[in-house]
Amino acid sequence: MTNAVWAVIAVMSGYWACMRARSDVQRQRLIGTVFGEAHVTEHRLTLVVVPLLCGGVVAIFATHHSSGTLIAACVACVATGLRVSLVDIDTHSIPRHVMVKSGGVLLALVTVASWTANSVSLSAVLLGSALSWTFMRMVELLSRGDIGHADVVLSGYLGLFIGAIGLQLVPLAIFASFFFAGLVAVVMIAAKRMTRRSHLPFGPFLVSGMVLAVLR
């Protein structure tokens, strides 16, 4: 497939992610799993920005990788990352069922990619996920609630794809995530939009770190 076709598929996947995120937010609120009241998923601009962002990331990724299965994994990972990021921003929660289903799909894709692309190692895929999960689990235990277990699960999910691209990229992705989160927190505190005790959803920063690492 050409890069343009992959970009179109990614844009469509980004739009799907927005629509699914809306449903996820409604479900989270119905079952009471809500710790925030942002309404980003309801904005019309979100339906434009998120699909274009998804398409742009995949288009850039496709220029550096020839494996169709690996690019498909990129589409799945980025779309799911954007989906749970929107839900996390709106509710400060990440649906477990989304991560379970998406994790199965992504693992299948990177496993096939390891069979068809010489650059992908299944052991690196699994180790990348394990390293990401373990590090964030340690942070969760030390943070006393600032980092939720859903962030740990998301980190393990993203680690599957990061490991497929390069195991050495896992530390970069984690560092970038905390750097972006700290930068945004400082700016928002300076602008008096939040205080030091305010909770900042970490999911979007984990996804941002993943994107930076794989597109480096």
Side-chain angles (χ1 to χ4, degrees), residues 89-153:
I89 291 171
D90 273 8
T91 68
H92 291 194
S93 64
I94 297 175
R96 180 177 298 180
H97 73 281
V98 173
M99 298 312 307
V100 171
K101 293 179 180 179
S102 300
V105 172
L106 183 59
L107 180 59
L109 287 170
V110 293
T111 298
V112 173
S114 71
W115 297 337
T116 59
N118 294 330
S119 61
V120 180
S121 166
L122 184 57
S123 60
V125 167
L126 299 176
L127 187 55
S129 178
L131 288 174
S132 296
W133 187 94
T134 301
F135 180 83
M136 288 301 297
R137 176 59 175 162
M138 292 174 60
V139 173
E140 179 193 13
L141 295 174
L142 295 172
S143 69
R144 298 180 181 180
D146 289 338
I147 295 294
H149 190 67
D151 296 319
V152 179
V153 175

Side-chain angles (χ1 to χ4, degrees), residues 70-95:
L70 191 59
I71 298 173
C74 180
V75 174
C77 186
V78 174
T80 296
L82 290 171
R83 174 183 177 179
V84 298
S85 292
L86 290 173
V87 178
D88 199 15
I89 291 171
D90 273 8
T91 68
H92 291 194
S93 64
I94 297 175

